[in-house]
Amino acid sequence: MSGYADRRLEYGPAARAVLRLLLTDLLDDGPRPMRSALAGVLAAPGTSASRPLRRGLLDTLLAQETDPGVLDAVLCAAARTTGPELRVLVHRTALLLVRTPEGAVRLDRTLAELVRRVPGLAAAVAGWLADAPHVWGPLVGPATRAVIDELTGAAVPV
């Protein structure tokens, strides 16, 4: 289903109306594995043609999602975006994740892995921490800080 949704998001406006209804229902009431798969599709950058619908549907998902696995999928897909959208999406997802019982630990583990394997992400997160330590400091855990320090050679503010 997620592959189908990813392809259909790129179609014209007529296909999008039906797709929006279908995906909204799945995001509202679908099983966790389905919401996780769709979260990865919706948080992916997509093309300029599909980006507004992707973001609108992602907003629908994030407005009510509390499952750490689904939020983790959003975070992993968000790491493939760039520019200001990356910062906004990682921050929004991180705030939602830390509100869940296992969220802070899961956020640190996932973000550390992403920082290690996504080119440029370590430098980006280090920059966010330097620019707004009061915003990012509570969200970026010790494992992520250690990986950033290892990869960039710069001590990450605590």
Side-chain angles (χ1 to χ4, degrees):
M1 178 62 174
S2 62
Y4 170 79
D6 193 33
R7 289 186 305 278
R8 294 297 291 181
L9 283 165
E10 302 299 336
Y11 281 42
R16 289 187 195 133
V18 173
L19 188 60
R20 179 185 295 277
L21 288 172
L22 172 66
L23 294 182
T24 300
D25 285 347
L26 290 171
L27 295 172
D28 288 343
D29 300 320
R32 188 194 63 75
M34 177 64 70
R35 294 191 326 273
S36 291
L38 289 173
V41 168
L42 299 176
T47 65
S48 59
S50 69
R51 202 166 292 125
L53 182 56
R54 285 176 192 269
R55 293 305 168 255
L57 289 166
L58 184 61
D59 286 345
T60 298
L61 174 71
L62 293 178
Q64 64 190 18
E65 191 58 64
T66 58
D67 187 284
V70 176
L71 296 170
D72 198 59
V74 172
L75 186 62
C76 290
R80 298 189 313 246
T81 62
T82 59
E85 188 175 21
L86 171 65
R87 183 178 186 156
V88 169
L89 195 48
V90 169
H91 186 255
R92 183 176 181 192
T93 306
L95 286 173
L96 292 171
L97 250 173
V98 298
R99 292 179 185 156
T100 66
E102 64 186 63
V105 171
R106 189 170 195 149
L107 172 63
D108 190 33
R109 184 179 64 236
T110 300
L111 196 53
E113 178 186 323
L114 290 169
V115 161
R116 184 174 301 284
R117 67 181 167 95
V118 176
L121 189 57
V125 176
W128 304 339
L129 278 162
D131 292 345
H134 59 287
V135 172
W136 288 94
L139 299 174
V140 179
T144 304
R145 290 171 189 267
V147 174
I148 291 171
D149 184 37
E150 173 191 326
L151 294 176
T152 66
V156 178
V158 177

